[in-house]
Amino acid sequence: MLGDARSVALAARLAQGRAALSPTGPDIPTAALSWRRALAHAEALGKRPEVEAVVADTALAAARTLHRAGDMQASGATLEAAWTLLGESGHDRLKGQLARVLTDRAIAQANRARERMETPAADLRRAVTLNPHLLRAQLNLGVALHILGAQMRWSGSLAGAVRSWQEAADRLTAALVHFPGDPELTALRDLVRRDLALVHSELEQGRIGGLPE
């Protein structure tokens, strides 16, 4: 009877998780709590892999709906909530969609506030780690790092500009391994390298604004 009770509780928790992710008002903490409790029941019943697959499917479906509706924050938060609870197989199922959401969220944030590029750059770094074959993530990470470097340079931190532009050059070179000869990646890398050479020249001339003492 205990097994039957757990099975009923498991089904109820999964249903609660689905219901909490209404596209008009998703309650992600409630969904995450329901998933956590469902997985505890699944562990006791020896059904964790099957239930992890259900949680991943539920999170993906909700995240895609929210993504299409333009709610990148909720879409990303839904996937992140599932990510923290699932194992490697769940991560494999989620990472492609999470990379796309992080990329779109970063682009939206950067377009709203170009003076605050650190957060978009962080999202894009993670997107590239999750899916190095996502060209939009690779290209926009290079753009974000190039903008960050320019902002640091004009604020007087040549050392900060070097760090951002060197990272951009390295990451664009790595991206070209996945997209050989891509014209946008190549052109951006060439631009970053020119800017990097210029700022190195300025440093050699003693214009060392922003260097640590």
Side-chain angles (χ1 to χ4, degrees):
M1 293 298 292
L2 181 58
D4 290 342
R6 280 199 178 276
S7 295
V8 171
L10 169 58
R13 294 304 183 187
L14 291 174
Q16 287 172 354
R18 285 191 296 272
L21 294 174
S22 163
T24 56
D27 184 347
I28 296 161
T30 294
L33 179 60
S34 298
W35 291 337
R36 185 176 293 109
R37 290 174 174 170
L39 289 166
H41 290 305
E43 192 77 43
L45 292 166
K47 295 182 176 181
R48 187 174 180 98
E50 301 96 303
V51 174
E52 283 204 359
V54 173
V55 170
D57 286 343
T58 302
L60 281 168
R64 286 172 179 145
T65 298
L66 291 163
H67 193 180
R68 287 193 295 269
D71 192 342
M72 303 303 164
Q73 292 297 335
S75 180
T78 299
L79 293 169
E80 295 282 15
W83 185 277
T84 62
L85 297 172
L86 302 181
E88 186 175 346
S89 63
H91 291 174
D92 286 342
R93 299 181 70 176
L94 296 177
K95 64 184 180 182
Q97 182 65 19
L98 181 54
R100 288 189 288 274
V101 171
L102 289 170
T103 299
D104 288 344
R105 185 171 76 183
I107 292 169
Q109 289 174 331
N111 287 337
R112 283 196 305 269
R114 291 179 74 84
E115 71 280 4
R116 299 177 182 175
M117 295 297 293
E118 292 85 358
T119 299
D123 273 353
L124 289 163
R125 287 187 188 97
R126 187 161 182 224
V128 164
T129 298
L130 290 168
N131 183 6
H133 298 282
L134 185 56
L135 179 57
R136 292 178 71 246
Q138 295 277 18
L139 182 60
N140 281 283
L141 177 56
V143 170
L145 292 170
H146 186 235
I147 293 171
L148 268 176
Q151 290 171 344
M152 291 179 182
R153 180 186 179 192
W154 295 115
S155 71
S157 176
L158 296 187
V162 167
R163 284 193 298 272
S164 288
W165 285 343
Q166 187 61 62
E167 182 185 357
D170 292 344
R171 287 184 175 275
L172 288 163
T173 297
L176 282 162
V177 173
H178 299 287
F179 301 97
D182 181 86
E184 290 184 293
L185 290 172
T186 301
L188 181 57
R189 186 183 63 174
D190 291 346
L191 174 60
V192 169
R193 284 177 169 175
R194 287 195 297 271
D195 287 343
L196 192 56
L198 177 60
V199 82
H200 273 302
S201 175
E202 291 174 344
L203 284 167
E204 289 170 2
Q205 295 168 28
R207 296 168 59 186
I208 55 174
L211 282 175
E213 297 187 12

